[in-house]
Amino acid sequence: MNNSVYENTIRKLSSGGIESPRLEARLLIADILKTSADNVGISTQLSQNLEKILEEHIAQRIAGKPLDKIIGRKGFYKFEFEVSQDVLSPRPETEILVEEALKIIKENKFRKVADFGLGSGCILLSLLKEIEDLQGMGIDASKKALKIAQKNAQGLGVEDKCIFLLKSWFDEDFFQALGENFDMIVSNPPYIKTDDIKTLDIGVQKYDPLLALDGGIDGLKDYLQIAKTAPSVLKKGGYILLEVGLGQALDVQKIFEEHGLAHISTLKDYAGIDRVVILRK
Ligand code: GLN
């Protein structure tokens, strides 16, 4: 008797160097059958057509495409977000920013938050889902990213609490377009040095959008521009929470201090790297 689809998939993923072949086999098959991963096992059967699709997905996975970009979904914080090659896949270290933002919003009874560089929406939409009377503005320079974020907002049922704005902070009319003051600004801007992009994992380099990664020659160009624009749309006493790249925390802190903000704290990620810089106006 032939091995089951499930066992064959595990074997292929495993010999292709995938670290968790069992879990990924279940997730890949479940995605194709539109069922949940715990329904998949040795008795699972696929039609010939679906088996062909599975073969393609296995080949993509072994060639380095991230699992979430294949199945189009990624878990982040407490929720699941639709993703595509038009948005940066949510990363676990960004959950630290979300947890800290929630604390600060609750303590200060904040009402309005803007996300500079919304992407999938994982930061802002998690905040809106968790806090009943919070209002959000999600800003992104990519129309395709905003579409994904809008779908995610609908999925979480928070679309009525969020305004979506297609704009770049490098646009001259950026301030006017925002047109209001916020209690908090959150951002995970592009922060990889242009020259370092070619050294990133293939899954990031090829499948995350360059717009969300490339922070210019020193990786700091977006922080500089955000520091020029964000303080003027932040209320007095309002907070800015920024995700930063390896070794950037002090530089980013200084950039924002030069624009009149006070450094409150810097939080480390699970790997012990300074990852979130918190400032107040
Ligand atoms: N954290 C991402 C990475 O390490 C980069 C995200 C960003 O530039 N904001 O690949």
Side-chain angles (χ1 to χ4, degrees):
M1 202 179 104
N2 281 339
N3 281 340
S4 70
V5 177
Y6 175 56
E7 288 166 305
N8 279 333
T9 305
I10 294 172
R11 197 173 35 76
K12 285 176 195 157
L13 290 173
S14 173
S15 48
I18 301 301
E19 260 178 42
S20 311
R22 282 186 169 67
L23 173 66
E24 294 210 10
R26 281 208 305 279
L27 290 167
L28 285 172
I29 296 168
D31 171 56
I32 284 170
L33 283 173
K34 311 233 175 305
T35 181
S36 98
D38 44 348
N39 289 333
V40 176
I42 46 171
S43 56
T44 303
Q45 296 190 336
L46 288 186
S47 70
Q48 264 192 351
N49 274 349
L50 292 184
E51 219 169 306
K52 252 195 216 147
I53 298 174
L54 177 64
E55 286 307 317
E56 276 168 36
H57 287 186
I58 293 170
Q60 289 171 351
R61 182 67 191 105
I62 289 171
K65 187 166 181 175
L67 181 80
D68 63 297
K69 298 289 199 207
I70 297 173
I71 67 177
R73 277 170 294 119
K74 173 112 189 220
F76 172 85
Y77 184 58
K78 296 183 189 171
F79 311 115
E80 190 162 83
F81 290 84
E82 183 172 325
V83 297
S84 74
Q85 287 176 226
D86 297 314
V87 297
L88 189 82
S89 290
R91 312 276 206 263
E93 55 269 30
T94 308
E95 295 171 346
I96 295 166
L97 191 159
V98 169
E99 282 172 357
E100 193 60 22
L102 284 170
K103 258 194 244 160
I104 298 172
I105 292 167
K106 286 179 192 162
E107 272 167 23
N108 294 278
K109 302 199 165 51
F110 282 161
R111 289 282 167 269
K112 272 189 183 172
V113 180
D115 187 338
F116 282 32
L118 181 66
S120 66
C122 65
I123 301 175
L124 182 65
L125 302 177
S126 296
L127 301 178
L128 292 177
K129 181 71 183 169
E130 286 285 74
I131 298 187
E132 175 105 34
D133 350 306
L134 197 66
Q135 301 281 327
M137 182 182 277
I139 304 145
D140 207 285
S142 157
K143 200 173 179 173
K144 289 179 177 168
L146 280 184
K147 266 211 168 131
I148 302 268
Q150 267 164 323
K151 273 203 215 163
N152 281 324
Q154 281 159 9
L156 290 171
V158 296
E159 71 274 24
D160 295 342
K161 303 164 70 177
C162 193
I163 295 169
F164 297 90
L165 181 65
L166 180 63
K167 250 303 116 285
S168 159
W169 39 82
F170 291 102
D171 291 346
E172 281 188 5
D173 62 344
F174 184 62
F175 288 117
Q176 294 94 303
L178 291 190
E180 57 178 316
N181 286 333
F182 298 95
D183 297 305
M184 180 182 277
I185 290 169
V186 292
S187 184
N188 175 16
Y191 55 62
I192 308 290
K193 291 179 187 164
T194 306
D195 278 350
D196 289 349
I197 288 177
K198 57 180 181 300
T199 70
L200 297 175
D201 194 83
I202 198 78
V204 177
Q205 222 185 108
K206 255 180 100 176
Y207 299 102
D208 276 330
L210 190 63
L211 182 69
L213 295 172
D214 189 351
I217 295 170
D218 58 2
L220 297 170
K221 90 172 159 42
D222 290 85
Y223 296 107
L224 269 168
Q225 188 66 15
I226 293 172
K228 282 187 202 159
T229 52
S232 63
V233 290
L234 191 63
K235 288 182 194 163
K236 180 92 190 111
Y239 280 71
I240 299 190
L241 279 76
L242 300 159
E243 181 170 321
V244 300
L246 183 65
Q248 291 177 327
L250 259 185
D251 287 332
V252 170
Q253 176 183 331
K254 280 188 202 140
I255 290 170
F256 281 80
E257 283 174 341
E258 276 165 25
H259 286 82
L261 297 187
H263 178 245
I264 301 294
S265 59
T266 296
L267 307 180
K268 291 188 189 303
D269 67 15
Y270 309 113
I273 295 166
D274 284 341
R275 188 59 75 188
V276 181
V277 176
I278 301 168
L279 303 121
R280 187 167 62 194
K281 184 169 167 183

